[in-house]
Amino acid sequence: QSALTQPASVSGSPGQSVTISCTGTSNDVGSYDYVSWYQQHPGKAPKVIIYDVSRRPSGVSHRFSGSKSGYTASLAISGLQGEDEATYYCSSYTSRTTLVFGGGTRVTVL
Amino acid sequence: EVQLVESGGGLVQPGGSLRLSCTASGFGFNTYAMNWVRQAPGKGLEWVSSISDLGGSKYYPDSVKGRFTISRDNSKNTLYLQMKSLRVEDTAVYYCAKGSDSGDYGPKWLDPWGQGTLVTVSS
């Protein structure tokens, strides 16, 4: 049950857009549309911002969007703001009926 | 408002046992799967266990299978995690999280999460 692969960090200036990739295998991301994304600020609990690849929970900014192609899912953040500075984790349902997370990506707003 | 409050964390010696609890409110507890996720200090998230709405299905990763047992008491709106044969590498903040559905086919996504309880395994 290897973790999904995410870049360790990405950065952007306020107002810019950034994209975080999340690469899995045929046993998880490649076979199921159950990819979710979580935002975690330091010292806080994670919060879901995208589920089922591209759906946004109510109350989550439209600046967050999700997509998937093959074995790779992506989270895009547009109009980067200071409050977006956090660590982002992807997650996927797997063929073993388990849940696997990515290693996390720290987003820095320059 | 959905609330999840974990308790039971603390310091335990390697090889010891500990039981975590998560008390839920603000939603139909007996209609949703529940989950435990942990985060070692300075590290990423690791899913630990899931249980379906009525407790009939339970899921674990290989890293805790046979050592951890998830259970629930729907009459008390409470989720549990019994941990035994604890190892230093089990040291983490343990989060309780509500599942997205009944959980009969495993965990899909988690929302919301509690604030976590710290488990430290050390001699």
Side-chain angles (χ1 to χ4, degrees):
Chain A
Q1 293 162 4
S2 300
L4 306 176
T5 301
Q6 298 180 233
S9 63
V10 299
S11 61
S13 299
Q16 287 188 329
S17 297
V18 296
T19 300
I20 301 170
S21 61
C22 169
T23 302
T25 68
S26 60
N27 295 320
D28 38 65
V29 176
S31 293
Y32 304 99
D33 287 337
Y34 293 127
V35 175
S36 51
W37 290 88
Y38 301 86
Q39 177 192 61
Q40 185 179 35
H41 288 106
K44 300 294 187 181
K47 167 192 166 186
V48 67
I49 56 173
I50 294 289
Y51 67 95
D52 293 354
V53 176
S54 60
R55 302 173 78 97
R56 257 187 324 270
S58 60
V60 172
S61 172
H62 284 68
R63 298 185 297 103
F64 294 98
S65 61
S67 62
K68 190 185 87 166
S69 177
Y71 297 163
T72 299
S74 298
L75 173 71
I77 310 174
S78 62
L80 204 59
Q81 298 179 2
E83 66 203 48
D84 300 332
E85 193 160 281
T87 300
Y88 294 81
Y89 295 91
C90 64
S91 176
S92 175
Y93 179 77
T94 82
S95 58
R96 297 180 66 181
T97 60
T98 61
L99 198 65
V100 63
F101 284 95
T105 298
R106 181 170 296 184
V107 171
T108 301
V109 181
L110 301 172
Chain B
E1 178 192 7
V2 174
Q3 282 202 320
L4 301 170
V5 179
E6 302 95 336
S7 60
L11 176 64
V12 60
Q13 292 188 335
S17 299
L18 204 61
R19 188 178 83 156
L20 306 182
S21 300
C22 170
T23 302
S25 61
F27 67 102
F29 183 74
N30 62 355
T31 62
Y32 285 93
M34 294 297 294
N35 303 265
W36 289 100
V37 178
R38 68 184 178 184
Q39 186 169 34
K43 302 297 184 181
L45 303 174
E46 180 186 14
W47 169 76
V48 170
S49 184
S50 292
I51 186 169
S52 59
D53 54 351
L54 301 182
S57 298
K58 302 177 183 182
Y59 307 90
Y60 307 92
D62 290 343
S63 58
V64 307
K65 196 175 295 183
R67 299 189 301 122
F68 290 11
T69 301
I70 192 171
S71 62
R72 64 192 297 162
D73 185 337
N74 286 347
S75 69
K76 297 181 178 179
N77 283 6
T78 302
L79 174 72
Y80 302 101
L81 184 68
Q82 179 68 51
M83 305 183 291
K84 66 178 184 179
S85 303
L86 282 162
R87 306 166 180 167
V88 171
E89 54 264 35
D90 294 319
T91 294
V93 172
Y94 284 73
Y95 294 102
C96 160
K98 173 179 162 287
S100 56
D101 56 22
S102 65
D104 288 334
Y105 300 99
K108 312 298 188 309
W109 52 278
L110 312 178
D111 176 60
W113 300 48
Q115 284 306 303
T117 186
L118 176 62
V119 173
T120 302
V121 184
S122 174
S123 55

